[in-house]
Amino acid sequence: MARPSPRSYCSEHQGETNMPSTVLITGCSSGFGLASAKLFLARGWNVVATMRSPQPHLLDEKDRLLVTALDVTNPSSIAAAIERGIARFGQIDVIVNNAGIGWFGAAEATPDEAVRQVFETNTFGVIATTQAIIPHLRERGSGTIVNVTSSVGIAPMPLVAAYTASKFAIEGFSESLAYELGSLGIRVKIVQPGFAPTTNFASNFRGNMSDLIPAAYADFAGRYLASMQNEPTAYTTGDDVAAAVYAAATSKDDRLRYPAGPDSVMLAELRRALPEEAFMARIRTMVGASSPPMHS
Ligand SMILES: NC(=O)c1ccc[n+]([C@@H]2O[C@H](COP(=O)([O-])OP(=O)(O)OC[C@H]3O[C@@H](n4cnc5c(N)ncnc54)[C@H](OP(=O)(O)O)[C@@H]3O)[C@@H](O)[C@H]2O)c1
């Protein structure tokens, strides 16, 4: 599957005007957030790179960079980071809600506490950060909110039900918001990355999973995980996601969703092309899942 280049997205370059535009990105300590911060800096933007624990050495720029603390589960930390960004650069034009955590395991074995933790970060954290930036964008009558969901927002995958639910919530939130904020001059975009085995995301959730696959699921989980190893070159990279985030941030059109990475683009095409039953049959084959027997 061909990788979409940044040019394959219809985008306009906001950052090439005389006054650099400013982007605030959550979760810049690694993965897609860090890759996106680097791309915006390379394209001449001011970047407010936020992290739970600021690590300025990760990014190589002085004048157009502010590395500052932001924990999306802490409303006062969100407000303070936005204030610091505005104090430093005068305004924020784009916010990228990228911070997120994964969780892998059978739904029945996923502890309530884990479900809540996933929602606190991936859903409530995004909603709180969005609510905090809207008044600033609304006063200026412009700006773009980019929410990073996942290809599971296109094609839910097994054994990540809580994670999928947290991202589906943001798919709906964003689509609703796109209507609500459009007349105020604010754009809303969704970037849907495919699976990227190289960020911390996969290693973080891999640590949890052995306890969360009860014996009854072991064969299926084994087939599913083996199927994910089959075509490693078709997975998503940080550069794929940074390019999609940048395209979404600089777009002047009404496009809402940006699948990022070859696996996500392929799933979006399948979803568009096939009726639901045929689509789900394809996913079952892909992941080694079976339908319930006809008699039950
Ligand atoms: N990698 C994938 O396969 C994949 C696929 C689809 C979608 N995504 C989504 O893409 C986004 C980025 O993931 P990634 O792959 O780049 O993973 P990553 O390398 O683990 O990066 C996640 C970032 O989120 C930050 N974060 C976690 N909890 C936070 C909180 N409460 N407040 C602020 N920041 C927090 C992490 O910071 P710390 O260093 O402080 O933990 C880290 O900077 C996530 O929303 C994820 O759900 C990932």
Side-chain angles (χ1 to χ4, degrees):
M1 171 81 46
R3 238 168 244 293
S5 74
R7 284 197 191 88
S8 70
Y9 296 104
C10 173
S11 68
E12 202 172 297
H13 196 163
Q14 242 180 333
E16 277 172 354
T17 54
N18 288 340
M19 274 278 291
S21 299
T22 301
V23 60
L24 184 151
I25 308 172
T26 65
C28 287
S29 66
S30 62
F32 303 155
L34 185 58
S36 300
K38 286 179 178 169
L39 180 60
F40 279 94
L41 284 172
R43 300 288 170 93
W45 284 55
N46 300 321
V47 174
V48 184
T50 73
M51 308 177 188
R52 280 195 288 197
S53 307
Q55 301 167 70
H57 67 274
L58 292 174
L59 289 156
D60 191 17
E61 160 64 40
K62 286 202 175 67
D63 297 342
R64 291 181 290 105
L65 173 66
L66 172 66
V67 176
T68 194
L70 192 162
D71 180 335
V72 299
T73 65
N74 178 340
S76 57
S77 147
I78 297 170
I82 290 174
E83 266 172 38
R84 284 192 293 270
I86 295 170
R88 171 71 184 271
F89 296 118
Q91 63 187 50
I92 291 169
D93 302 282
V94 173
I95 189 152
V96 181
N97 283 308
N98 162 76
I101 55 172
W103 201 275
F104 189 94
E108 70 166 82
T110 305
D112 181 60
E113 190 190 322
V115 178
R116 287 175 195 281
Q117 194 189 333
V118 166
F119 270 80
E120 281 300 339
T121 307
N122 296 359
T123 309
F124 305 136
V126 172
I127 293 174
T129 309
T130 303
Q131 286 175 322
I133 196 72
I134 287 174
H136 175 66
L137 303 181
R138 183 168 45 71
E139 271 165 30
R140 297 184 27 244
S142 69
T144 302
I145 297 165
V146 180
N147 290 336
V148 177
T149 60
S150 167
S151 58
V152 300
I154 304 165
M157 290 291 154
L159 302 177
V160 285
Y163 175 71
T164 300
S166 74
K167 293 293 190 180
F168 251 68
I170 293 304
E171 292 272 333
F173 175 73
S174 306
E175 190 163 334
S176 172
L177 205 62
Y179 296 118
E180 191 171 314
L181 296 183
S183 61
L184 303 174
I186 303 166
R187 290 191 165 76
V188 179
K189 305 282 183 180
I190 301 170
V191 170
Q192 302 166 306
F195 181 58
T198 52
T199 67
N200 291 348
F201 178 87
S203 46
N204 284 347
F205 77 53
R206 224 175 266 134
N208 302 318
M209 79 192 197
S210 52
D211 294 345
L212 299 176
I213 309 289
Y217 300 83
D219 284 351
F220 165 58
R223 283 197 303 279
Y224 173 36
L225 291 174
S227 77
M228 290 174 78
Q229 323 260 318
N230 283 347
E231 217 191 335
T233 52
Y235 287 134
T236 297
T237 66
D239 288 345
D240 291 331
V241 178
V245 165
Y246 189 79
T250 52
S251 154
K252 297 288 180 234
D253 62 30
D254 283 338
R255 176 176 173 185
L256 178 63
R257 290 184 170 83
Y258 294 67
D263 48 340
S264 187
V265 169
M266 180 270 289
L267 290 167
E269 282 166 2
L270 271 185
R271 183 108 238 183
R272 258 195 308 274
L274 297 177
E276 185 165 79
E277 230 174 303
F279 175 80
M280 289 187 70
R282 274 293 272 283
I283 300 293
R284 277 194 191 95
T285 307
M286 237 182 246
V287 302
S290 338
S291 302
M294 294 303 267
H295 57 78
S296 61

